[in-house]
Amino acid sequence: MEDSSKPRRDFPAFPFEPYSIQIDFMSFLYKSLDRGGVAMLESPTGTLLFVLGCLRVNGNLSHSTSFYLVSNIAAAGTGKTLSIICSALQWLVDRRKQQQQWKKTTETPDIGYGDEEPDWMRDFVVTDGQQKEEKRGKRLGFGDWDAEKKTPFSTIKSEGKGPEGLTGDDDTEFLLDDYESEEDGWDNGGRGSKRKGRRCLDSSSSDEDAEEDQESSPKVYFTSRTHSQLSQFVKEFKRTVFASELNLICLGSRKNLCINPEVLKLGSVNRINERCLELQRNRSNSKIKCDTQVQDNNRRLHRPKHSCGCPMLRKPNLRKSFKDKIRELGALDIEDLHQLGSKNGTCPYYGSRDMIRAADLVVLPYQSLLQKSSRDSLGLNLKNNIVIIDEAHNLADSLTNMYNARITSAQLQQVLSYLQLYLEKFRKCLGAGNRRYIQTLIEVSGYGLKVGSQNVLEDADNQRINVEGSIVSSFQALADLLLRLTNKDNEGRIILSRQIGDAYLKYVMLSGDRIFTEIMDQTHAIVLAGGTLQPIEESRVRLLPALSIDQVQFFTCKHIVPPESILPIAVSCGPSGLTFDFSYNSRSSPSMIEELGRFISNLVAIVPEGMVVFFSSFEYEGHVYSAWKASGILPKILKKKRLFREPRNNVDVEVVLREYKESIYPSSGNSKADPGTSGAILLAIVGGKISEGINFSDGMGRCVIMVGLPYPSLFDVELIERIKHIECLGDTSQKTSRASNSESIQSGFDILRSCKRRGKEYYDNLCMKAVNQSIGRAIRHIHDYAAVLLVDSRYTYNSSNQNFSRPVDKLPLWIRDRLVFATGSYGEVHRLLFQFYQHNK
């Protein structure tokens, strides 16, 4: 480990000579990890790195927590991901070497029993499974009960009869265990205690056959929002020497890793997850059925279909072979794992999970790490480890959204009907406690259906249920909603929608600090990566309220792209002199749309190669496109460039991008461009797939245009509740207001106007973060160049009120320092662009 007084400046794993800015970045990050501290890095091209952690003294949490903000103003093409990998993993290697030295000097004899546990200790334990079987047998009236042989059940099935109220061979397996009272089975917090020996449903029943690897520690967890981003990280990792020294495992969703064709054909993520878990339940519940065959008068009792679980998990030797092959091949991404599993004939989803303990670097999706239930299911151990969260520019909202829960009126009606059927069938065999709780669930479901469906379902003929997925998903939706209600009152809100055809109840999580603190308390450091984290105050208040703003240290570097390679302009008016105003009340006027069309028509004549135009929504883009087509503006644009539109379906985005690129870089004999056209124009959507994760380097994005300020809709009830919540954060004198039935409900506009500080700031930040994320798609490396046009007079607004921040004040520093305010005629904009492209040609 390097001397803390001399920050490490050499990182031999970096595959080429790093820029000085990268050395500064890696050195600062290394030192922060060494201290167990906090670092934040921000990239102008949409990549932010934020390392959070509590200062530790001798390995323990310190009461004094510091915050470091590192602004790495290097374009993504200059090796941002490599810088993270080479710094964090170098620290990991050095820390383990130090731990080995400590171990040599502090080793003490092992006084544990190990594998030689005394017989009296083993024999003393009575398994929970045996106790449950004995209770069940006695409750069903069978007297003495042999939990191992299960003789009474065999007798019932062979004689075709059983206790009153039970019918069918397999109904008994659905009978609830005896109710445990609060004194016996619940803790003081009102949450059910876990019973010994009970396995997590999602842990795969075949895990019992998997060998247990030694836990590798410390380790690094890297998470991002999309599988493509995770795959890109794996590719960068392979470029370093760490690929041959450290073990990497990539985790993915069932939808991306499942190789069972019968499950995959279900299509949706929810149905695939449910079917996978159902197969695991069937394997667990019918283990005896699969291993033994009950004979009755020389007749064989046939096994139910799928009773032995997924066929991709039946052979432990293949699962072991899968692990061995991963160790042999090294770092594999999602696609590689899927191909290996298909070739090997074993499940790559559960196979990759087997590798977590022995991995030095775990690469996984957002939800797998940030959601507690997923962490528990995967068995992730964050204690004293490093967590890197990529694409974290909207982390607080992403985090809270994971803890939302929603159930529709159709799902409630389905749950209600099944609960009533269950109670009627098993009433005489259920204990008093279980009967009471089932009746309570029925009342809750009946009431939720009543308030959610009022004036929606008129009569019996209209009460046909459009079932959303299986009955499993309906019960899961109810369970999720009830679980969310155990949160603190001020952490969330219940939203009730009575829209015809879409009535639902939804729990909306508003507070993310407790969720995030649970992660922070376990880790040595957290690394967040994304677009724009500033202003720091919002992130601090929503995720780290225990820290004060003066505990945040800020480190920044200059942009490596020369000033002449970027031209940002705030455009206030169009070619005819009409002032651009794309606010909600003005943006749909025919004159405003026509002026925008004339503006674009002029630009396509001087902008080389490709240009991308961002609109606030699919609806508005469609409205503008139709108006241009009707007015004759569209043909003028098409004379100069081919035009493409972002599709709503993400699956079709790749096709559109491929054709867009082909129009800019036509291959010989394969160009569809009309004679006289040069390049292409792409109409994209703020918040869509193109704005969030697609890079438009070089000719793909010579000009990026942002039309208006993409403020989110104030008709969104969830947004308004979040604004009210954030407005009151940190102010103990205020409480989030709630409208009673007798009070009039304020409009979103009135609520926003009543905000004095944080609520309004949050609303502005939502808009400008979306702007920064979109315009950051261009300028991806040191030799790139592009113009950025902010088309709206509000970008040029200069307020004398110090408490009111201008939109441009929230732009990245590297754009803000070079921003040109074009407040005169359009001719000024045209001249600046012509000179810019001539200079960079």
Side-chain angles (χ1 to χ4, degrees):
M1 206 53 93
E2 297 289 315
D3 184 354
S4 59
S5 62
K6 298 179 180 179
R8 180 164 190 150
R9 303 281 300 176
D10 62 309
F11 297 91
F14 209 82
F16 48 81
E17 187 67 25
Y19 295 113
S20 60
I21 193 174
Q22 292 168 335
I23 296 176
D24 293 340
F25 162 60
M26 290 187 287
S27 179
F28 186 89
L29 177 57
Y30 185 98
K31 185 175 181 180
S32 299
L33 295 178
D34 198 21
R35 296 177 58 187
V38 181
M40 182 184 291
L41 294 98
E42 185 178 64
S43 167
T45 56
T47 305
L48 169 80
L49 180 68
F50 182 22
V51 182
L52 295 169
C54 296
L55 285 177
R56 297 171 187 271
V57 180
N58 296 327
N60 297 319
L61 280 173
S62 168
H63 293 291
S64 173
T65 305
S66 292
F67 222 159
Y68 296 87
L69 174 64
V70 185
S71 187
N72 177 24
I73 314 300
T78 62
K80 181 271 306 180
T81 303
L82 279 174
S83 298
I84 297 175
I85 291 171
C86 295
S87 178
L89 296 187
Q90 186 65 59
W91 178 88
L92 184 71
V93 170
D94 292 346
R95 170 57 64 95
R96 288 183 177 176
K97 289 180 180 178
Q98 188 181 55
Q99 286 180 337
Q100 291 175 356
Q101 294 175 354
W102 286 339
K103 188 175 181 180
K104 289 180 181 178
T105 58
T106 60
E107 277 188 343
T108 57
D110 184 3
I111 59 174
Y113 290 108
D115 294 334
E116 299 300 323
E117 188 179 75
D119 292 340
W120 67 268
M121 291 180 65
R122 290 196 301 267
D123 296 341
F124 182 77
V125 178
V126 179
T127 65
D128 182 64
Q130 291 174 328
Q131 291 178 336
K132 289 195 297 183
E133 294 294 349
E134 290 172 2
K135 283 183 179 180
R136 175 175 298 206
K138 292 177 181 178
R139 182 156 46 97
L140 293 174
F142 295 130
D144 293 335
W145 176 254
D146 190 331
E148 293 296 326
K149 296 181 180 179
K150 295 182 175 55
T151 306
F153 272 148
S154 301
T155 304
I156 290 174
K157 292 182 179 181
S158 63
E159 296 178 0
K161 56 186 177 180
E164 185 179 1
L166 292 181
T167 59
D169 288 341
D170 296 316
D171 283 348
T172 52
E173 69 177 280
F174 298 107
L175 189 60
L176 292 171
D177 296 325
D178 273 338
Y179 166 74
E180 292 184 353
S181 69
E182 282 77 4
E183 290 79 11
D184 294 334
W186 290 70
D187 59 27
N188 294 330
R191 301 177 185 269
S193 59
K194 297 181 179 178
R195 300 184 184 181
K196 296 179 180 179
R198 175 160 295 187
R199 303 177 56 82
C200 178
L201 181 62
D202 192 32
S203 63
S204 171
S205 57
S206 57
D207 281 348
E208 61 199 35
D209 300 322
E211 61 184 54
E212 191 84 347
D213 291 315
Q214 183 177 355
E215 181 77 34
S216 179
S217 180
K219 68 176 63 182
V220 174
Y221 292 94
F222 178 89
T223 182
S224 193
R225 292 188 306 149
T226 67
H227 287 90
S228 61
Q229 291 164 345
L230 298 179
S231 295
Q232 182 61 37
F233 181 88
V234 174
K235 291 177 182 177
E236 294 294 309
F237 172 78
K238 289 180 178 180
R239 300 176 63 187
T240 71
V241 297
F242 293 125
S244 60
E245 299 176 357
L246 299 176
N247 296 322
L248 176 148
I249 189 62
C250 192
L251 305 180
S253 66
R254 287 180 172 88
K255 183 175 177 61
N256 287 86
L257 286 177
C258 179
I259 60 172
N260 186 337
E262 293 300 313
V263 176
L264 275 178
K265 71 180 183 181
L266 297 175
S268 72
V269 173
N270 287 339
R271 296 186 67 188
I272 288 175
N273 288 341
E274 289 165 8
R275 184 55 183 152
C276 178
L277 293 177
E278 184 181 352
L279 289 173
Q280 306 314 310
R281 279 192 295 268
N282 287 340
R283 174 188 172 108
S284 177
N285 293 339
S286 60
K287 195 162 188 178
I288 295 178
K289 299 177 190 177
C290 293
D291 294 336
T292 63
Q293 297 172 345
V294 180
Q295 303 291 333
D296 178 24
N297 298 328
N298 298 322
R299 289 183 300 152
R300 174 175 295 180
L301 182 67
H302 295 285
R303 307 175 189 177
K305 189 177 182 181
H306 302 302
S307 64
C308 288
C310 180
M312 305 303 168
L313 286 170
R314 289 178 184 164
K315 299 181 179 180
N317 60 321
L318 290 181
R319 196 160 170 179
K320 183 178 184 303
S321 172
F322 181 82
K323 292 175 62 177
D324 294 339
K325 198 65 179 177
I326 291 179
R327 294 188 182 101
E328 176 188 336
L329 296 175
L332 302 178
D333 61 18
I334 301 295
E335 185 177 346
D336 297 330
L337 289 169
H338 187 276
Q339 292 176 354
L340 178 61
S342 300
K343 182 178 179 180
N344 200 48
T346 191
C347 177
Y349 175 76
Y350 283 110
S352 59
R353 288 167 53 149
D354 291 342
M355 308 289 292
I356 294 175
R357 287 179 58 85
D360 305 299
L361 175 59
V362 180
V363 181
L364 69 170
Y366 251 29
Q367 195 131 346
S368 299
L369 184 128
L370 297 179
Q371 201 164 35
K372 187 178 187 303
S373 59
S374 297
R375 293 198 305 273
D376 293 342
S377 170
L378 291 168
L380 301 185
N381 179 17
L382 303 185
K383 186 69 174 178
N384 294 327
N385 290 325
I386 304 296
V387 169
I388 301 176
I389 305 175
D390 197 12
E391 293 295 320
H393 48 281
N394 287 323
L395 178 63
D397 286 340
S398 298
L399 198 61
T400 53
N401 287 340
M402 289 181 188
Y403 287 80
N404 292 346
R406 180 178 184 269
I407 188 168
T408 66
S409 60
Q411 289 176 312
L412 274 172
Q413 178 125 358
Q414 191 179 34
V415 168
L416 179 61
S417 63
Y418 273 84
L419 283 173
Q420 291 171 335
L421 178 64
Y422 184 92
L423 182 60
E424 180 180 352
K425 189 177 187 68
F426 292 103
R427 181 187 298 272
K428 295 183 179 181
C429 298
L430 289 169
N434 281 328
R435 282 202 307 271
R436 183 167 66 251
Y437 275 98
I438 291 175
Q439 288 169 337
T440 301
L441 282 174
I442 290 175
E443 292 299 320
V444 170
S445 301
Y447 178 74
L449 184 64
K450 179 181 178 181
V451 299
S453 302
Q454 185 176 353
N455 300 326
V456 177
L457 301 178
E458 300 282 343
D459 50 47
D461 292 336
N462 293 327
Q463 291 186 17
R464 300 175 185 175
I465 304 174
N466 182 17
V467 179
E468 301 179 7
S470 68
I471 180 62
V472 177
S473 64
S474 297
F475 271 96
Q476 187 62 57
L478 178 62
D480 289 342
L481 185 66
L482 294 177
L483 181 62
R484 298 298 178 257
L485 296 180
T486 63
N487 292 326
K488 294 180 180 179
D489 183 58
N490 63 350
E491 289 185 335
R493 294 289 180 270
I494 289 289
I495 304 295
L496 168 62
S497 171
R498 292 177 176 172
Q499 297 179 17
I500 295 178
D502 188 31
Y504 63 85
L505 284 168
K506 184 174 183 179
Y507 177 86
V508 179
M509 189 71 167
L510 300 176
S511 176
D513 61 294
R514 179 176 57 83
I515 304 170
F516 195 69
T517 300
E518 287 178 357
I519 300 175
M520 276 196 63
D521 287 346
Q522 299 178 60
T523 57
H524 175 72
I526 302 177
V527 182
L528 313 178
T532 303
L533 193 65
Q534 297 185 66
I536 307 169
E537 174 65 5
E538 180 195 324
S539 299
R540 183 195 68 81
V541 169
R542 297 189 65 192
L543 295 177
L544 304 156
L547 299 180
S548 62
I549 192 65
D550 57 1
Q551 289 177 299
V552 179
Q553 298 187 34
F554 188 71
F555 175 81
T556 185
C557 317
K558 294 182 180 180
H559 201 297
I560 61 173
V561 175
E564 60 270 17
S565 296
I566 175 71
L567 177 61
I569 307 176
V571 183
S572 61
C573 62
S576 69
L578 181 67
T579 298
F580 281 130
D581 179 9
F582 292 98
S583 59
Y584 182 79
N585 293 328
S586 304
R587 65 183 185 181
S588 297
S589 68
S591 59
M592 194 62 59
I593 293 176
E594 187 175 352
E595 187 74 354
L596 177 63
R598 284 192 289 265
F599 178 69
I600 299 296
S601 299
N602 287 341
L603 292 182
V604 295
I606 58 174
V607 175
E609 302 175 300
M611 54 190 294
V612 185
V613 184
F614 283 102
F615 293 89
S616 58
S617 67
F618 280 104
E619 290 75 17
Y620 185 57
E621 183 272 340
H623 183 61
V624 170
Y625 181 84
S626 298
W628 286 353
K629 188 175 182 179
S631 65
I633 289 177
L634 189 59
K636 295 179 181 178
I637 296 175
L638 295 175
K639 284 182 180 180
K640 294 295 183 181
K641 294 183 183 294
R642 289 191 67 194
L643 186 143
F644 298 89
R645 303 171 66 192
E646 179 174 358
R648 289 177 180 266
N649 189 343
N650 286 342
V651 177
D652 299 327
V653 170
E654 296 299 327
V655 177
V656 171
L657 289 175
R658 185 166 58 248
E659 293 182 357
Y660 172 70
K661 184 176 182 180
E662 177 64 27
S663 299
I664 297 168
Y665 303 116
S667 57
S668 58
N670 195 33
S671 176
K672 298 180 181 179
D674 297 327
T677 62
S678 174
I681 179 173
L682 174 62
L683 308 185
I685 311 301
V686 174
K689 184 173 183 179
I690 288 177
S691 72
E692 290 292 324
I694 306 299
N695 297 333
F696 293 98
S697 60
D698 302 312
M700 294 280 284
R702 290 302 182 205
C703 182
V704 176
I705 301 170
M706 174 59 64
V707 178
L709 286 156
Y711 283 104
S713 172
L714 287 173
F715 294 104
D716 185 341
V717 178
E718 294 180 30
L719 173 64
I720 295 303
E721 288 300 317
R722 188 167 286 113
I723 288 174
K724 290 161 60 178
H725 173 78
I726 293 173
E727 173 70 12
C728 298
L729 287 178
D731 188 350
T732 56
S733 64
Q734 298 188 53
K735 292 184 179 180
T736 303
S737 62
R738 297 188 182 197
S740 66
N741 293 333
S742 60
E743 294 175 334
S744 61
I745 300 177
Q746 286 182 295
S747 72
F749 296 95
D750 292 336
I751 290 174
L752 186 65
R753 279 193 289 267
S754 68
C755 292
K756 298 178 180 179
R757 184 186 172 195
R758 289 193 173 116
K760 178 65 166 62
E761 188 78 7
Y762 168 70
Y763 187 63
D764 290 340
N765 291 341
L766 284 177
C767 171
M768 291 310 298
K769 284 181 180 180
V771 169
N772 295 336
Q773 187 69 12
S774 299
I775 64 180
R777 298 302 92 203
I779 309 288
R780 307 304 298 183
H781 58 84
I782 192 171
H783 300 297
D784 206 353
Y785 69 93
V788 176
L789 306 183
L790 306 174
V791 184
D792 198 302
S793 59
R794 288 174 292 175
Y795 285 110
T796 63
Y797 179 73
N798 187 12
S799 174
S800 58
N801 187 349
Q802 294 181 353
N803 295 325
F804 183 85
S805 60
R806 303 179 302 167
V808 295
D809 292 337
K810 299 181 184 296
L811 290 170
L813 184 63
W814 65 283
I815 287 184
R816 192 165 70 240
D817 286 348
R818 305 171 191 182
L819 184 64
V820 177
F821 293 92
T823 56
S825 66
Y826 165 76
E828 178 185 3
V829 176
H830 198 93
R831 176 180 56 81
L832 288 171
L833 288 170
F834 180 80
Q835 293 174 348
F836 175 75
Y837 290 119
Q838 286 293 316
H839 174 79
N840 286 284
K841 183 183 291 185

